[in-house]
Amino acid sequence: MREGSPTGDEALVELDVFPPEQHRRWTVLLRLLLAIPQLIVLWFLSIAAFVVIVCGWFGALVLGRLPDWCGEFLRGYYGYTVRVHGYAMLLVDDYPPFAWTAPDYPVRLLFPAPTPLNRLAVLFRLILAFPILVLSGWFTTGWGIISFILWLIVLITGRMPRAIFEATSAVLRIEMRVSAYAYLLTPTYLTGVFGDKQAAPTGPIYTGDSMAGGARVTGGPEPAQSPTRPLVLSSGGRTLLIVMLIVGILGSFAQTSVGWGNDDDDMDAISGSQLARRVAIDFTDQTGHTPQDVHCPNFLDADIGATEVCTVTDDGVEFRALVTVDAITDGAAHFRTVIEH
């Protein structure tokens, strides 16, 4: 529900996608390469957007609404973002223009008219948005993990099957609705995760592509509706979206587990190859010669006082390197190397 809205109607961000009947296979093949210039521009714009978001948050705390100039910029920024992401995600085949506005591009966002914001909700906005930011991240991760399969299907068939189009559009809409809530463009919490059951609400809207002189309200007929407004998912599209969510959750947890597994705090031994590299460095520091070969046959326990003997070969002469662990700091073992003839 709207914060500060007596009517209680939802201020939803809507997504329009007008897909082509046929994709050009060569653009599908080179899609990531073609998208790189757009992604670079988007990265620079994101820096400016971060500054505007911070200013907008402070402004909303004081005014009880997002300052007009912040809203205008962010609507334009997310309008640009959705065009680039829609192109990169193969929803459309037309290349996005390098322009702040693109009213004729087949991907666009429709924003609700600005509304008063609850200052308390603004103060705790990122805390309130955290669950849906995580959820959005899972959907995006899941889409990314299976994106090669989706890309291959479109490349081979020259078209995007309905289920893939619906699920991909849903992921993109989730991203945009979460961003719009988190950064104060709308007071409405994420809704319609698994599609709409009925037509999207009508009423005054702001379009991200009508901002040549700032966003304007359109009170007359809305822009022509697309297959994504309302976004009614077929059983195949809903199933694929659920698969993306599950894959995204598993992928996120797997990535976290790998990170934990590589944590130095969990280290209980130093492998022979790691030890050999360190002994080679110590030998070079002590003698001024880079050894031809260093062989450490065993692991070195990460316990104070643990020792291991390595063999160092330099100019055909073998040396004995005695390695002893003498300290452990923050889970990392520190050892000294003594070179003996």
Side-chain angles (χ1 to χ4, degrees):
M1 295 177 63
R2 287 190 186 183
E3 302 157 2
S5 173
T7 62
D9 56 323
E10 290 187 317
L12 293 172
V13 173
E14 298 293 345
L15 172 68
D16 272 346
V17 180
F18 298 89
E21 293 185 3
Q22 195 76 14
H23 286 263
R24 293 168 294 177
R25 288 182 174 84
W26 74 268
T27 67
V28 175
L29 178 65
L30 303 176
R31 185 58 54 98
L32 286 181
L33 289 176
L34 294 172
I36 287 175
Q38 292 285 356
L39 294 172
I40 292 173
V41 172
L42 195 58
W43 182 82
F44 282 106
L45 287 175
S46 69
I47 298 174
F50 174 77
V51 176
V52 174
I53 287 167
V54 173
C55 294
W57 183 81
F58 282 106
L61 278 179
V62 175
L63 301 174
R65 59 178 177 81
L66 189 65
D68 292 341
W69 69 272
C70 293
E72 291 174 1
F73 181 88
L74 291 177
R75 280 186 287 270
Y77 168 70
Y78 284 114
Y80 194 105
T81 299
V82 79
R83 293 194 292 271
V84 174
H85 286 189
Y87 178 75
M89 297 170 78
L90 301 175
L91 287 172
V92 294
D93 201 44
D94 293 346
Y95 195 77
F98 290 97
W100 193 245
T101 62
D104 296 326
Y105 193 72
V107 178
R108 64 190 176 196
L109 283 181
L110 306 177
F111 295 93
T115 183
L117 299 173
N118 184 305
R119 289 182 175 86
L120 190 61
V122 171
L123 179 63
F124 296 104
R125 184 63 112 212
L126 288 183
I127 296 176
L128 294 172
F130 180 77
I132 57 176
L133 287 168
V134 173
L135 180 64
S136 176
W138 283 340
F139 277 112
T140 303
T141 299
W143 185 92
I145 291 174
I146 68 172
S147 60
F148 177 77
I149 298 174
L150 307 182
W151 171 81
L152 201 59
I153 291 173
V154 178
L155 179 63
I156 293 173
T157 63
R159 53 182 294 273
M160 178 173 278
R162 177 183 175 186
I164 297 178
F165 173 79
E166 292 173 347
T168 301
S169 297
V171 170
L172 184 57
R173 192 176 75 164
I174 290 168
E175 288 181 0
M176 293 298 101
R177 285 187 171 179
V178 169
S179 296
Y181 174 78
Y183 305 125
L184 307 176
L185 285 171
T186 175
T188 303
Y189 210 66
L190 176 64
T191 186
V193 173
F194 292 100
D196 301 320
K197 295 182 179 180
Q198 58 185 2
T202 59
I205 58 170
Y206 272 59
T207 66
D209 298 317
S210 59
M211 298 184 52
R216 60 180 176 83
V217 175
T218 59
E222 293 191 11
Q225 290 188 336
S226 69
T228 59
R229 187 163 57 96
L231 181 57
V232 180
L233 301 184
S234 64
S235 58
R238 186 175 293 106
T239 299
L240 181 56
L241 188 60
I242 293 173
V243 169
M244 290 178 180
L245 176 60
I246 294 172
V247 170
I249 294 173
L250 295 177
S252 298
F253 279 108
Q255 185 177 13
T256 303
S257 299
V258 170
W260 286 343
N262 291 333
D263 195 334
D264 287 339
D265 292 341
D266 295 333
M267 182 180 68
D268 55 7
I270 305 166
S271 69
S273 59
Q274 291 175 317
L275 193 59
R277 288 194 294 270
R278 179 57 186 270
V279 169
I281 294 173
D282 290 345
F283 183 88
T284 303
D285 291 341
Q286 294 180 31
T287 66
H289 296 277
T290 301
Q292 295 172 333
D293 180 63
V294 178
H295 178 63
C296 300
N298 302 310
F299 283 83
L300 175 64
D301 292 331
D303 297 320
I304 295 177
T307 60
E308 181 58 46
V309 177
C310 299
T311 302
V312 182
T313 303
D314 180 40
D315 289 335
V317 179
E318 287 192 353
F319 297 84
R320 184 171 177 267
L322 179 63
V323 184
T324 304
V325 177
D326 55 11
I328 297 178
T329 305
D330 295 329
H334 302 274
F335 47 84
R336 52 187 169 82
T337 303
V338 178
I339 308 298
E340 302 175 349
H341 285 284

